[in-house]
Amino acid sequence: MHPYRMQQLIKERGKDEVINVRHRTSIYQTIERLHRDKAIAIQEKKKNEGRPELIVYEITDLGRNAAYSWIREMISTPAQEFLEFPAAVSFLALLTPEEVALLFKQRVSTLENRLAHLEDQFRKGASLGLPRLFLLEAEYQQKVLAAEMEWIQSIIEDIHAKKLKWSMEELREKEN
């Protein structure tokens, strides 16, 4: 399969929700690295009228073994992932509670849209007869988004109920 077709298939199958393929150049860079590392090999080169040759790749045994090893590790062992949202949450004290509540409401709105999109993709996949196995990442993402939205809503409620409050003045006083 050639890189352009790989990108098309990833998007057609909704895998662009979990794999960043927005820029075709990143696919080509990945293909170059995999080829250099002998994880894939050139299967054939096809003439492509008025364009560069179309190179079709196939996975090698080395590449297949590396993929299986990676999948097994990623499934069995949680990785330390440094996500931006928890990092930003660690700096909430720099904002006012009111601003945090407003920003969190905006985030929930965005997450609701994303969740609706995922649910739509899940329904489409199921209506096409795709087995649940091929929809598990969408199912996982739905659960993660729902949990995040629930947590954010609880923070918003605590801010409104004054169960969670702070001010820069109070925080500065506690430094001394």
Side-chain angles (χ1 to χ4, degrees):
M1 186 179 306
H2 54 86
Y4 178 72
R5 182 65 184 135
M6 289 177 198
Q7 183 186 36
Q8 285 179 316
L9 279 175
I10 289 168
K11 287 182 177 181
E12 285 171 17
R13 295 177 180 171
K15 302 302 182 188
D16 57 329
E17 295 291 328
V18 293
I19 301 169
N20 184 1
V21 292
R22 287 181 189 89
H23 305 289
R24 193 171 312 132
T25 55
S26 64
I27 290 180
Y28 282 99
Q29 290 168 348
T30 300
I31 294 297
E32 287 175 22
R33 190 182 79 244
L34 291 170
H35 186 251
R36 182 186 66 235
D37 294 346
K38 299 187 180 0
I40 59 173
I42 295 174
Q43 183 184 46
E44 67 177 302
K45 293 182 178 184
K46 296 180 180 181
K47 297 285 183 207
N48 197 7
E49 291 182 34
R51 297 178 180 206
E53 281 184 316
L54 196 60
I55 301 173
V56 179
Y57 295 92
E58 64 183 345
I59 192 167
T60 63
D61 287 340
L62 179 69
R64 186 173 289 102
N65 291 336
Y68 289 154
S69 177
W70 175 82
I71 292 167
R72 287 180 177 113
E73 170 134 2
M74 295 306 295
I75 296 295
S76 67
T77 309
Q80 177 68 37
E81 297 173 354
F82 297 97
L83 303 174
E84 290 181 8
F85 180 63
V89 168
S90 73
F91 289 98
L92 289 183
L94 298 175
L95 305 174
T96 66
E98 297 76 22
E99 186 177 13
V100 168
L102 179 66
L103 293 170
F104 273 1
K105 284 179 186 177
Q106 291 172 0
R107 184 176 183 91
V108 167
S109 178
T110 301
L111 293 175
E112 286 171 341
N113 291 335
R114 198 175 293 164
L115 183 59
H117 175 73
L118 282 169
E119 288 169 345
D120 185 52
Q121 277 193 312
F122 192 84
R123 276 192 299 277
K124 283 180 186 173
S127 72
L128 293 172
L130 284 177
R132 182 175 174 219
L133 173 66
F134 298 109
L135 301 170
L136 287 177
E137 74 274 7
E139 187 177 312
Y140 169 79
Q141 287 180 306
Q142 288 175 27
K143 297 293 185 186
V144 169
L145 285 176
E148 181 178 336
M149 288 172 21
E150 182 181 330
W151 179 79
I152 291 172
Q153 289 288 14
S154 74
I155 299 302
I156 293 169
E157 289 169 14
D158 286 350
I159 289 171
H160 288 311
K162 305 284 189 223
K163 292 180 185 175
L164 178 61
K165 57 186 177 174
W166 67 91
S167 72
M168 289 304 289
E169 295 78 30
E170 290 173 355
L171 295 173
R172 284 190 186 112
E173 286 174 15
K174 289 181 183 184
E175 284 180 358
N176 298 329

PDB file of all heavy atoms in Angstrom, residues 85 89 92 99-111 151-153 155-156 159 164:
ATOM      1  N   PHE A  85      -3.894  19.186  29.339  1.00  0.00           N
ATOM      2  CA  PHE A  85      -4.982  19.590  30.230  1.00  0.00           C
ATOM      3  C   PHE A  85      -4.607  19.450  31.703  1.00  0.00           C
ATOM      4  O   PHE A  85      -4.759  20.421  32.463  1.00  0.00           O
ATOM      5  CB  PHE A  85      -6.266  18.824  29.892  1.00  0.00           C
ATOM      6  CG  PHE A  85      -7.423  19.200  30.776  1.00  0.00           C
ATOM      7  CD1 PHE A  85      -7.937  20.492  30.767  1.00  0.00           C
ATOM      8  CD2 PHE A  85      -8.001  18.266  31.613  1.00  0.00           C
ATOM      9  CE1 PHE A  85      -9.010  20.849  31.580  1.00  0.00           C
ATOM     10  CE2 PHE A  85      -9.071  18.607  32.427  1.00  0.00           C
ATOM     11  CZ  PHE A  85      -9.572  19.900  32.405  1.00  0.00           C
ATOM     12  N   VAL A  89      -4.439  22.442  34.467  1.00  0.00           N
ATOM     13  CA  VAL A  89      -5.192  22.376  35.725  1.00  0.00           C
ATOM     14  C   VAL A  89      -4.278  22.670  36.912  1.00  0.00           C
ATOM     15  O   VAL A  89      -4.690  23.300  37.882  1.00  0.00           O
ATOM     16  CB  VAL A  89      -5.894  20.999  35.885  1.00  0.00           C
ATOM     17  CG1 VAL A  89      -6.435  20.796  37.291  1.00  0.00           C
ATOM     18  CG2 VAL A  89      -7.018  20.866  34.861  1.00  0.00           C
ATOM     19  N   LEU A  92      -4.375  26.406  37.817  1.00  0.00           N
ATOM     20  CA  LEU A  92      -5.652  27.099  37.970  1.00  0.00           C
ATOM     21  C   LEU A  92      -5.589  28.255  38.955  1.00  0.00           C
ATOM     22  O   LEU A  92      -6.338  29.224  38.834  1.00  0.00           O
ATOM     23  CB  LEU A  92      -6.753  26.128  38.411  1.00  0.00           C
ATOM     24  CG  LEU A  92      -7.235  25.131  37.375  1.00  0.00           C
ATOM     25  CD1 LEU A  92      -8.373  24.296  37.943  1.00  0.00           C
ATOM     26  CD2 LEU A  92      -7.661  25.817  36.096  1.00  0.00           C
ATOM     27  N   GLU A  99     -13.507  32.693  36.447  1.00  0.00           N
ATOM     28  CA  GLU A  99     -12.962  32.479  35.109  1.00  0.00           C
ATOM     29  C   GLU A  99     -12.781  30.989  34.836  1.00  0.00           C
ATOM     30  O   GLU A  99     -13.077  30.501  33.739  1.00  0.00           O
ATOM     31  CB  GLU A  99     -11.630  33.219  34.940  1.00  0.00           C
ATOM     32  CG  GLU A  99     -11.098  33.139  33.523  1.00  0.00           C
ATOM     33  CD  GLU A  99      -9.812  33.929  33.310  1.00  0.00           C
ATOM     34  OE1 GLU A  99      -9.173  34.357  34.302  1.00  0.00           O
ATOM     35  OE2 GLU A  99      -9.449  34.111  32.148  1.00  0.00           O
ATOM     36  N   VAL A 100     -12.317  30.251  35.836  1.00  0.00           N
ATOM     37  CA  VAL A 100     -12.139  28.802  35.679  1.00  0.00           C
ATOM     38  C   VAL A 100     -13.480  28.149  35.366  1.00  0.00           C
ATOM     39  O   VAL A 100     -13.587  27.315  34.461  1.00  0.00           O
ATOM     40  CB  VAL A 100     -11.485  28.182  36.934  1.00  0.00           C
ATOM     41  CG1 VAL A 100     -11.560  26.664  36.905  1.00  0.00           C
ATOM     42  CG2 VAL A 100     -10.036  28.650  37.065  1.00  0.00           C
ATOM     43  N   ALA A 101     -14.521  28.533  36.104  1.00  0.00           N
ATOM     44  CA  ALA A 101     -15.854  27.966  35.866  1.00  0.00           C
ATOM     45  C   ALA A 101     -16.306  28.249  34.433  1.00  0.00           C
ATOM     46  O   ALA A 101     -16.820  27.358  33.748  1.00  0.00           O
ATOM     47  CB  ALA A 101     -16.856  28.504  36.873  1.00  0.00           C
ATOM     48  N   LEU A 102     -16.088  29.461  33.966  1.00  0.00           N
ATOM     49  CA  LEU A 102     -16.471  29.831  32.599  1.00  0.00           C
ATOM     50  C   LEU A 102     -15.674  29.027  31.570  1.00  0.00           C
ATOM     51  O   LEU A 102     -16.241  28.489  30.602  1.00  0.00           O
ATOM     52  CB  LEU A 102     -16.261  31.333  32.387  1.00  0.00           C
ATOM     53  CG  LEU A 102     -16.591  31.860  30.995  1.00  0.00           C
ATOM     54  CD1 LEU A 102     -18.085  31.731  30.713  1.00  0.00           C
ATOM     55  CD2 LEU A 102     -16.164  33.317  30.886  1.00  0.00           C
ATOM     56  N   LEU A 103     -14.373  28.938  31.765  1.00  0.00           N
ATOM     57  CA  LEU A 103     -13.524  28.187  30.831  1.00  0.00           C
ATOM     58  C   LEU A 103     -13.880  26.702  30.838  1.00  0.00           C
ATOM     59  O   LEU A 103     -13.892  26.050  29.788  1.00  0.00           O
ATOM     60  CB  LEU A 103     -12.046  28.394  31.183  1.00  0.00           C
ATOM     61  CG  LEU A 103     -11.531  29.814  30.978  1.00  0.00           C
ATOM     62  CD1 LEU A 103     -10.142  29.971  31.594  1.00  0.00           C
ATOM     63  CD2 LEU A 103     -11.519  30.180  29.504  1.00  0.00           C
ATOM     64  N   PHE A 104     -14.174  26.170  32.019  1.00  0.00           N
ATOM     65  CA  PHE A 104     -14.576  24.768  32.111  1.00  0.00           C
ATOM     66  C   PHE A 104     -15.903  24.534  31.388  1.00  0.00           C
ATOM     67  O   PHE A 104     -16.095  23.502  30.751  1.00  0.00           O
ATOM     68  CB  PHE A 104     -14.654  24.319  33.564  1.00  0.00           C
ATOM     69  CG  PHE A 104     -13.344  23.822  34.137  1.00  0.00           C
ATOM     70  CD1 PHE A 104     -12.165  23.802  33.416  1.00  0.00           C
ATOM     71  CD2 PHE A 104     -13.308  23.347  35.435  1.00  0.00           C
ATOM     72  CE1 PHE A 104     -10.979  23.341  33.950  1.00  0.00           C
ATOM     73  CE2 PHE A 104     -12.120  22.866  35.993  1.00  0.00           C
ATOM     74  CZ  PHE A 104     -10.952  22.862  35.234  1.00  0.00           C
ATOM     75  N   LYS A 105     -16.835  25.485  31.480  1.00  0.00           N
ATOM     76  CA  LYS A 105     -18.105  25.353  30.751  1.00  0.00           C
ATOM     77  C   LYS A 105     -17.848  25.310  29.246  1.00  0.00           C
ATOM     78  O   LYS A 105     -18.470  24.530  28.517  1.00  0.00           O
ATOM     79  CB  LYS A 105     -19.041  26.510  31.094  1.00  0.00           C
ATOM     80  CG  LYS A 105     -19.686  26.388  32.448  1.00  0.00           C
ATOM     81  CD  LYS A 105     -20.584  27.587  32.735  1.00  0.00           C
ATOM     82  CE  LYS A 105     -21.120  27.527  34.151  1.00  0.00           C
ATOM     83  NZ  LYS A 105     -21.927  28.696  34.499  1.00  0.00           N
ATOM     84  N   GLN A 106     -16.912  26.139  28.784  1.00  0.00           N
ATOM     85  CA  GLN A 106     -16.550  26.137  27.362  1.00  0.00           C
ATOM     86  C   GLN A 106     -15.946  24.790  26.973  1.00  0.00           C
ATOM     87  O   GLN A 106     -16.257  24.241  25.913  1.00  0.00           O
ATOM     88  CB  GLN A 106     -15.574  27.265  27.056  1.00  0.00           C
ATOM     89  CG  GLN A 106     -16.175  28.640  27.162  1.00  0.00           C
ATOM     90  CD  GLN A 106     -15.126  29.753  27.030  1.00  0.00           C
ATOM     91  OE1 GLN A 106     -13.943  29.511  26.852  1.00  0.00           O
ATOM     92  NE2 GLN A 106     -15.587  30.986  27.132  1.00  0.00           N
ATOM     93  N   ARG A 107     -15.109  24.259  27.843  1.00  0.00           N
ATOM     94  CA  ARG A 107     -14.486  22.962  27.568  1.00  0.00           C
ATOM     95  C   ARG A 107     -15.546  21.866  27.497  1.00  0.00           C
ATOM     96  O   ARG A 107     -15.501  21.017  26.604  1.00  0.00           O
ATOM     97  CB  ARG A 107     -13.427  22.637  28.619  1.00  0.00           C
ATOM     98  CG  ARG A 107     -12.676  21.338  28.321  1.00  0.00           C
ATOM     99  CD  ARG A 107     -11.556  21.084  29.324  1.00  0.00           C
ATOM    100  NE  ARG A 107     -10.819  19.897  28.988  1.00  0.00           N
ATOM    101  CZ  ARG A 107      -9.732  19.859  28.221  1.00  0.00           C
ATOM    102  NH1 ARG A 107      -9.256  20.984  27.705  1.00  0.00           N
ATOM    103  NH2 ARG A 107      -9.129  18.716  27.961  1.00  0.00           N
ATOM    104  N   VAL A 108     -16.484  21.891  28.434  1.00  0.00           N
ATOM    105  CA  VAL A 108     -17.546  20.877  28.435  1.00  0.00           C
ATOM    106  C   VAL A 108     -18.333  20.943  27.131  1.00  0.00           C
ATOM    107  O   VAL A 108     -18.667  19.918  26.536  1.00  0.00           O
ATOM    108  CB  VAL A 108     -18.470  21.033  29.661  1.00  0.00           C
ATOM    109  CG1 VAL A 108     -19.746  20.215  29.503  1.00  0.00           C
ATOM    110  CG2 VAL A 108     -17.739  20.618  30.930  1.00  0.00           C
ATOM    111  N   SER A 109     -18.620  22.147  26.658  1.00  0.00           N
ATOM    112  CA  SER A 109     -19.346  22.309  25.399  1.00  0.00           C
ATOM    113  C   SER A 109     -18.575  21.669  24.244  1.00  0.00           C
ATOM    114  O   SER A 109     -19.140  20.947  23.420  1.00  0.00           O
ATOM    115  CB  SER A 109     -19.587  23.790  25.128  1.00  0.00           C
ATOM    116  OG  SER A 109     -20.236  23.962  23.897  1.00  0.00           O
ATOM    117  N   THR A 110     -17.282  21.917  24.196  1.00  0.00           N
ATOM    118  CA  THR A 110     -16.443  21.323  23.155  1.00  0.00           C
ATOM    119  C   THR A 110     -16.408  19.809  23.289  1.00  0.00           C
ATOM    120  O   THR A 110     -16.499  19.082  22.296  1.00  0.00           O
ATOM    121  CB  THR A 110     -15.011  21.902  23.232  1.00  0.00           C
ATOM    122  OG1 THR A 110     -15.083  23.319  23.069  1.00  0.00           O
ATOM    123  CG2 THR A 110     -14.107  21.310  22.168  1.00  0.00           C
ATOM    124  N   LEU A 111     -16.279  19.322  24.524  1.00  0.00           N
ATOM    125  CA  LEU A 111     -16.250  17.880  24.759  1.00  0.00           C
ATOM    126  C   LEU A 111     -17.573  17.227  24.384  1.00  0.00           C
ATOM    127  O   LEU A 111     -17.592  16.106  23.847  1.00  0.00           O
ATOM    128  CB  LEU A 111     -15.899  17.577  26.221  1.00  0.00           C
ATOM    129  CG  LEU A 111     -14.484  17.949  26.662  1.00  0.00           C
ATOM    130  CD1 LEU A 111     -14.306  17.707  28.158  1.00  0.00           C
ATOM    131  CD2 LEU A 111     -13.434  17.194  25.861  1.00  0.00           C
ATOM    132  N   TRP A 151     -16.206  15.046  35.764  1.00  0.00           N
ATOM    133  CA  TRP A 151     -15.280  15.654  36.726  1.00  0.00           C
ATOM    134  C   TRP A 151     -15.330  17.176  36.626  1.00  0.00           C
ATOM    135  O   TRP A 151     -15.421  17.876  37.636  1.00  0.00           O
ATOM    136  CB  TRP A 151     -13.859  15.135  36.495  1.00  0.00           C
ATOM    137  CG  TRP A 151     -12.881  15.752  37.429  1.00  0.00           C
ATOM    138  CD1 TRP A 151     -12.662  15.408  38.736  1.00  0.00           C
ATOM    139  CD2 TRP A 151     -11.993  16.839  37.159  1.00  0.00           C
ATOM    140  NE1 TRP A 151     -11.686  16.210  39.282  1.00  0.00           N
ATOM    141  CE2 TRP A 151     -11.264  17.104  38.328  1.00  0.00           C
ATOM    142  CE3 TRP A 151     -11.748  17.607  36.017  1.00  0.00           C
ATOM    143  CZ2 TRP A 151     -10.304  18.112  38.398  1.00  0.00           C
ATOM    144  CZ3 TRP A 151     -10.793  18.607  36.093  1.00  0.00           C
ATOM    145  CH2 TRP A 151     -10.081  18.851  37.282  1.00  0.00           C
ATOM    146  N   ILE A 152     -15.287  17.694  35.405  1.00  0.00           N
ATOM    147  CA  ILE A 152     -15.311  19.148  35.211  1.00  0.00           C
ATOM    148  C   ILE A 152     -16.613  19.730  35.757  1.00  0.00           C
ATOM    149  O   ILE A 152     -16.598  20.772  36.429  1.00  0.00           O
ATOM    150  CB  ILE A 152     -15.118  19.510  33.720  1.00  0.00           C
ATOM    151  CG1 ILE A 152     -13.686  19.184  33.283  1.00  0.00           C
ATOM    152  CG2 ILE A 152     -15.421  20.990  33.472  1.00  0.00           C
ATOM    153  CD1 ILE A 152     -13.450  19.319  31.786  1.00  0.00           C
ATOM    154  N   GLN A 153     -17.728  19.062  35.484  1.00  0.00           N
ATOM    155  CA  GLN A 153     -19.020  19.546  36.000  1.00  0.00           C
ATOM    156  C   GLN A 153     -18.997  19.608  37.525  1.00  0.00           C
ATOM    157  O   GLN A 153     -19.516  20.553  38.115  1.00  0.00           O
ATOM    158  CB  GLN A 153     -20.176  18.642  35.533  1.00  0.00           C
ATOM    159  CG  GLN A 153     -20.484  18.757  34.057  1.00  0.00           C
ATOM    160  CD  GLN A 153     -21.152  20.062  33.665  1.00  0.00           C
ATOM    161  OE1 GLN A 153     -21.188  21.039  34.414  1.00  0.00           O
ATOM    162  NE2 GLN A 153     -21.678  20.103  32.459  1.00  0.00           N
ATOM    163  N   ILE A 155     -16.417  20.144  39.419  1.00  0.00           N
ATOM    164  CA  ILE A 155     -15.582  21.292  39.800  1.00  0.00           C
ATOM    165  C   ILE A 155     -16.376  22.586  39.634  1.00  0.00           C
ATOM    166  O   ILE A 155     -16.348  23.464  40.502  1.00  0.00           O
ATOM    167  CB  ILE A 155     -14.264  21.332  38.985  1.00  0.00           C
ATOM    168  CG1 ILE A 155     -13.425  20.070  39.220  1.00  0.00           C
ATOM    169  CG2 ILE A 155     -13.465  22.594  39.304  1.00  0.00           C
ATOM    170  CD1 ILE A 155     -13.057  19.811  40.667  1.00  0.00           C
ATOM    171  N   ILE A 156     -17.092  22.700  38.525  1.00  0.00           N
ATOM    172  CA  ILE A 156     -17.921  23.894  38.294  1.00  0.00           C
ATOM    173  C   ILE A 156     -18.941  24.037  39.423  1.00  0.00           C
ATOM    174  O   ILE A 156     -19.123  25.132  39.978  1.00  0.00           O
ATOM    175  CB  ILE A 156     -18.630  23.814  36.919  1.00  0.00           C
ATOM    176  CG1 ILE A 156     -17.596  23.902  35.779  1.00  0.00           C
ATOM    177  CG2 ILE A 156     -19.680  24.922  36.782  1.00  0.00           C
ATOM    178  CD1 ILE A 156     -18.168  23.573  34.403  1.00  0.00           C
ATOM    179  N   ILE A 159     -17.279  25.217  42.577  1.00  0.00           N
ATOM    180  CA  ILE A 159     -16.937  26.645  42.503  1.00  0.00           C
ATOM    181  C   ILE A 159     -18.190  27.480  42.764  1.00  0.00           C
ATOM    182  O   ILE A 159     -18.164  28.425  43.561  1.00  0.00           O
ATOM    183  CB  ILE A 159     -16.294  27.006  41.145  1.00  0.00           C
ATOM    184  CG1 ILE A 159     -14.873  26.416  41.064  1.00  0.00           C
ATOM    185  CG2 ILE A 159     -16.264  28.528  40.939  1.00  0.00           C
ATOM    186  CD1 ILE A 159     -14.218  26.521  39.693  1.00  0.00           C
ATOM    187  N   LEU A 164     -15.145  25.216  46.567  1.00  0.00           N
ATOM    188  CA  LEU A 164     -13.800  25.358  46.023  1.00  0.00           C
ATOM    189  C   LEU A 164     -13.620  26.828  45.710  1.00  0.00           C
ATOM    190  O   LEU A 164     -14.306  27.381  44.844  1.00  0.00           O
ATOM    191  CB  LEU A 164     -13.634  24.510  44.752  1.00  0.00           C
ATOM    192  CG  LEU A 164     -12.283  24.591  44.043  1.00  0.00           C
ATOM    193  CD1 LEU A 164     -11.151  24.120  44.965  1.00  0.00           C
ATOM    194  CD2 LEU A 164     -12.299  23.765  42.771  1.00  0.00           C
TER     195      LEU A 164
END
